[in-house]
Amino acid sequence: MSTSPKLNAKIPEGAMENKWTKYRSTVHLVNPSNKRSLEVIVVGSGLAGASAAATLAEMGYKVKVFCFQDSPRRAHSIAAQGGINAAKNYQNDGDSVYRLFYDTIKGGDYRSREANVHRLAEVSGNIIDQCVGQGVPFAREYGGTLSNRSFGGTQVQRTFYAAGQTGQQLLLGAYSALQRQVGMGTVQLMARHEMMDIVNIDGKCRGIIARDLVSGKLERHFGHAVLLCTGGYGNVFYLSTNAMGSNVTAAWKAHKKGAFFGNPCYTQIHPTCIPVSGDHQSKLTLMSESLRNDGRIWVPKKQGDTRKPNDIPEEERDYYLERRYPAFGNLVPRDVASRAAKERCDAGYGVGTSKMAVYLDFAANTMRYGQIEANKKGIHSASKEQIRELGVAVVKEKYGNLFDMYKQITDEDPYEMPMRIYPAVHYTMGGLWVDYNLMTTVPGLYALGEANFSDHGANRLGASALMQGLADGYFVIPYTIGDYLSEEIRTKAIPTDHEAFVKAETEVQERINTLFSIKGTKSVDHFHKALGKIMWNKCGMARNAQGLKEAIEEIKALRAEFWKDVRVTGEQNEFNPELEKAHRVADFLELGELMCTDALHRNESCGGHFREEYQTPDGEAKRDDDNFAYVAAWEYKGESNFELHKEELKFESIKLAQRNYA
């Protein structure tokens, strides 16, 4: 297998552990006086966008930030709960940069690019130092040192956290850095603006068309480079843990203008989410993976058992993850835990009204913590009630806000009975294809964080999303963008009345006019829900060739119906959420077809991509390294027409092996 001539990953030469160090020492630079005349557009203001914008502005570049929400503080990064990984080895349990690198490659089922992952592991420790310096209130031990906990797919404690709101605290740190630059005038923040298209001039990305979401006005903005930091596309499934505003529009518009889309079928299903309760729901709620540190997952051994969980004795419970994967137990990677839960429920062992849930039980570890506290307090003959009370206090300190959230949503007290959980769409490992510099196949157009494909392979380990977003923004793009901009210092700002800007804006306006002119009978949500059901049933936790072929045809038919019968209410020159939704659902209807096409072509199972035809006798994912050890990078050629380009994955530092968590 050879890499397509249209793809150049630009991976530095040399030993893996020296690539990033050598790159930083030899990369082209832009001198400070030249930076002041170079303009950079950052689309998205979550962790990747805010950290990149703040850092680039601090370096001297002129930066414009486009924020879909009314404030960067509302970016979806705020929803991350459990933590952020870093190879600090504070627990002295054998962690290292190499071990984080290895765990990430293995966790992604050997479908990620080694050089990018090693760089991520290298800079992970710097992220913690940066955030502590910003005042991020990470949890600490009694003596004041930073605390760590475990996450899935690892046997060390490397996850730094701030209760169950780590994303919020990290985002506030990045937001503070961003606002400092806004106050200094080095960053222009454009809130409530959505990117509608990119503008290419002479083969390079030179700006964007944006829509003011309040007035509806279309705007043209020039940049010497454009950074897309716009998150993932999980909402293609309609129900996911993503914020309802999360969308694929920016990345998809870039794809249609020449940016290849990498591994679109790689979707992460998170194992610990509150189960679906009915058709009324518009999103799902994540319960942090950190809960798997102390919660034990089980189902009744008896099929169709209707007893309350506390009435089922210990010997009649199946702690199936501990049984199947004794080395990792409840902390197996997310794709493994999700498939195991689905298998138990499909076999008739599910719990709750829908029977599509399993239990996450804290009783045992609550008592363990209580006994430890009793010993610390010198209470040597404590009753079970006393021990439990002491244990609840410890659990409340570690996970209290998560327990409160669960009770508010379900009206069940998780301190009294086990939580009910079931897998749900959470994260997308696929995204715009980027090289080592984080540049897409369009020169001058970059993708950071979840918007790119680069670091997680076919499955993301928990607590690695925050790590990647901040690594890309704080420590990678400030170096790599200089290599490109050093050749652009003679390029003057291009006036936005250039024909390329006029043409791009005209195309956006025509699309808006078309959406309003249809005046159909069905709402945008009707089409989104219909698409979501197709995607979940036929390209969700499990896929097969027949279902994927059916899905492609069903999506084509649904898309045709959308453009004939959708009804967009309101006016275009005003604040109009229905128009916003129409844009993103139109994009999802195209993306969904590509996701199914990608899943159909990949005749193997790996990570979150589980083809039912390709599994081991034990029901685990069965890879085909001889034929599919590559990144699938798709080029847009027109409606329903995508050309596949392959980037061969070479493993120099890690030996390919079947994943084993037993």
Side-chain angles (χ1 to χ4, degrees):
M1 178 194 317
S2 60
T3 296
S4 165
K6 289 191 175 183
L7 299 175
N8 181 2
K10 298 181 181 177
I11 299 171
E13 299 293 330
M16 188 64 64
E17 61 271 19
N18 297 328
K19 289 182 187 294
W20 180 234
T21 300
K22 182 179 179 181
Y23 178 96
R24 288 182 295 149
S25 301
T26 57
V27 69
H28 294 133
L29 302 176
V30 180
N31 81 50
S33 61
N34 284 332
K35 287 174 183 171
R36 292 193 288 270
S37 62
L38 292 169
E39 301 181 44
V40 179
I41 288 174
V42 179
V43 183
S45 55
L47 285 180
S51 59
T55 307
L56 294 175
E58 182 78 35
M59 295 170 69
Y61 294 107
K62 296 166 64 177
V63 180
K64 276 185 182 178
V65 176
F66 291 83
C67 173
F68 179 82
Q69 300 87 356
D70 59 348
S71 166
R73 290 174 296 175
R74 293 185 182 272
H76 186 56
S77 301
I78 202 171
Q81 298 169 346
I84 177 171
N85 289 328
K88 286 286 199 179
N89 196 32
Y90 282 173
Q91 303 298 319
N92 196 29
D93 54 2
D95 201 10
S96 64
V97 166
Y98 180 83
R99 195 175 294 277
L100 174 54
F101 163 58
Y102 173 80
D103 286 345
T104 305
I105 293 286
K106 178 183 176 183
D109 215 354
Y110 303 90
R111 289 295 177 262
S112 47
R113 186 191 290 153
E114 272 194 338
N116 287 62
V117 177
H118 196 280
R119 176 176 64 190
L120 178 66
E122 284 182 71
V123 306
S124 64
N126 296 338
I127 299 171
I128 304 304
D129 298 339
Q130 170 91 2
C131 294
V132 169
Q134 291 175 333
V136 173
F138 286 122
R140 295 181 180 267
E141 303 290 354
Y142 179 78
T145 56
L146 294 180
S147 181
N148 294 115
R149 56 190 178 197
S150 297
F151 259 61
T154 72
Q155 292 180 306
V156 298
Q157 296 183 71
R158 64 162 68 101
T159 303
F160 295 78
Y161 63 98
Q165 48 188 248
T166 312
Q168 180 183 31
Q169 298 304 325
L170 291 172
L171 184 61
L172 288 173
Y175 170 74
S176 298
L178 174 63
Q179 287 300 116
R180 177 174 179 269
Q181 297 301 322
V182 172
M184 294 173 64
T186 55
V187 169
Q188 183 181 359
L189 178 61
M190 313 284 284
R192 288 190 170 179
H193 279 69
E194 180 174 14
M195 192 203 96
M196 306 301 292
D197 210 346
I198 65 169
V199 179
N200 295 335
I201 299 176
D202 297 330
K204 296 181 178 181
C205 184
R206 293 300 192 191
I208 67 170
I209 303 298
R211 181 172 179 267
D212 183 327
L213 296 178
V214 177
S215 69
K217 180 183 177 182
L218 296 180
E219 301 175 358
R220 310 167 191 171
H221 297 272
F222 165 80
H224 289 89
V226 175
L227 279 54
L228 300 185
C229 310
T230 49
Y233 48 89
N235 276 349
V236 69
F237 292 88
Y238 186 70
L239 287 180
S240 79
T241 66
N242 289 189
M244 290 179 66
S246 298
N247 62 83
V248 77
T249 290
W252 192 250
K253 297 308 184 191
H255 173 57
K256 295 178 77 170
K257 285 290 184 71
F260 292 4
F261 214 105
N263 299 330
C265 77
Y266 288 167
T267 305
Q268 176 160 89
I269 312 294
H270 198 295
T272 54
C273 299
I274 297 178
V276 176
S277 60
D279 288 339
H280 65 281
Q281 280 184 272
S282 56
K283 76 177 299 293
L284 298 175
T285 302
L286 170 70
M287 299 308 297
S288 170
E289 183 172 312
S290 63
L291 296 174
R292 289 200 276 151
N293 273 276
D294 294 314
R296 300 178 70 195
I297 296 173
W298 62 277
V299 293
K301 290 183 178 180
K302 177 185 174 184
Q303 288 181 324
D305 198 324
T306 58
R307 288 176 292 177
K308 293 181 179 179
N310 293 342
D311 294 337
I312 301 176
E314 191 72 16
E315 63 272 14
E316 296 181 34
R317 301 178 178 188
D318 178 15
Y319 294 93
Y320 58 89
L321 290 179
E322 298 173 29
R323 169 171 57 83
R324 295 181 185 179
Y325 312 102
F328 284 74
N330 295 295
L331 286 170
V332 291
R334 292 174 176 178
D335 62 313
V336 176
S338 294
R339 281 195 298 275
K342 182 179 186 297
E343 185 276 329
R344 288 290 80 191
C345 291
D346 289 348
Y349 296 94
V351 302
T353 305
S354 68
K355 299 300 180 184
M356 296 302 287
V358 299
Y359 289 128
L360 179 60
D361 195 337
F362 281 78
N365 281 309
T366 296
M367 297 301 288
R368 180 175 65 85
Y369 282 128
Q371 187 61 63
I372 293 171
E373 289 299 301
N375 293 339
K376 286 162 61 176
K377 295 176 183 296
I379 307 174
H380 300 299
S381 57
S383 65
K384 282 188 176 181
E385 290 73 20
Q386 285 179 298
I387 291 173
R388 184 181 177 284
E389 186 177 337
L390 291 168
V392 165
V394 175
V395 171
K396 188 170 291 188
E397 182 179 356
K398 292 167 71 75
Y399 310 110
N401 66 310
L402 298 171
F403 277 54
D404 293 343
M405 183 171 67
Y406 182 88
K407 184 175 182 180
Q408 289 171 2
I409 293 172
T410 65
D411 198 29
E412 297 174 3
D413 187 349
Y415 294 109
E416 299 291 336
M417 65 177 65
M419 294 181 181
R420 289 176 294 108
I421 58 170
Y422 192 73
V425 172
H426 179 57
Y427 188 92
T428 48
M429 283 76 65
L432 293 180
W433 184 92
V434 293
D435 61 18
Y436 191 75
N437 296 330
L438 305 184
M439 189 187 288
T440 70
T441 47
V442 177
L445 179 67
Y446 294 80
L448 282 65
E450 192 179 356
N452 74 36
F453 87 98
S454 67
D455 291 8
H456 306 297
N459 173 66
R460 177 176 68 79
L461 291 184
S464 288
L466 304 182
M467 176 174 62
Q468 185 205 353
L470 291 179
D472 286 355
Y474 281 138
F475 299 108
V476 177
I477 198 67
Y479 286 100
T480 63
I481 199 170
D483 191 51
Y484 174 75
L485 291 179
S486 65
E487 301 295 326
E488 297 296 318
I489 57 177
R490 294 178 180 84
T491 302
K492 303 299 181 183
I494 299 173
T496 56
D497 59 0
H498 187 284
E499 61 180 354
F501 279 94
V502 175
K503 183 174 184 292
E505 182 183 327
T506 299
E507 291 172 350
V508 171
Q509 186 61 59
E510 289 175 350
R511 184 181 177 92
I512 292 173
N513 293 342
T514 299
L515 285 168
F516 276 108
S517 69
I518 297 170
K519 300 187 186 302
T521 63
K522 295 184 177 68
S523 70
V524 176
D525 282 342
H526 165 84
F527 290 99
H528 198 174
K529 288 180 180 180
L531 174 64
K533 288 180 180 178
I534 296 170
M535 295 300 297
W536 177 250
N537 291 333
K538 297 180 178 178
C539 194
M541 289 182 66
R543 302 103 183 255
N544 59 61
Q546 180 180 345
L548 290 166
K549 290 175 183 177
E550 292 171 355
I552 290 171
E553 296 307 313
E554 290 171 14
I555 292 170
K556 288 180 180 178
L558 185 65
R559 187 168 65 239
E561 184 185 358
F562 173 89
W563 286 106
K564 290 179 181 177
D565 201 25
V566 71
R567 184 171 186 84
V568 180
T569 56
E571 301 294 334
Q572 59 178 285
N573 296 318
E574 65 179 9
F575 178 64
N576 189 341
E578 285 301 304
L579 176 59
E580 297 167 28
K581 287 195 292 184
H583 283 301
R584 72 180 60 111
V585 172
D587 295 330
F588 282 144
L589 284 164
E590 296 178 351
L591 168 67
E593 182 182 351
L594 177 58
M595 291 173 68
C596 293
T597 300
D598 187 39
L600 180 62
H601 108 275
R602 189 171 282 278
N603 292 321
E604 65 164 355
S605 290
C606 55
H609 168 64
F610 191 73
R611 283 281 298 272
E612 293 172 339
E613 308 95 319
Y614 307 102
Q615 55 182 299
T616 67
D618 296 328
E620 304 294 343
K622 186 177 181 181
R623 297 196 321 268
D624 181 354
D625 295 330
D626 292 336
N627 295 302
F628 291 97
Y630 61 76
V631 177
W634 296 89
E635 180 180 7
Y636 182 80
K637 290 289 192 176
E639 184 174 335
S640 299
N641 186 6
F642 306 95
E643 181 179 348
L644 173 63
H645 301 274
K646 301 176 182 179
E647 179 199 340
E648 181 183 3
L649 291 172
K650 298 179 181 179
F651 294 90
E652 305 170 11
S653 301
I654 292 177
K655 182 180 179 181
L656 280 167
Q658 185 68 32
R659 283 195 306 174
N660 182 4
Y661 292 99

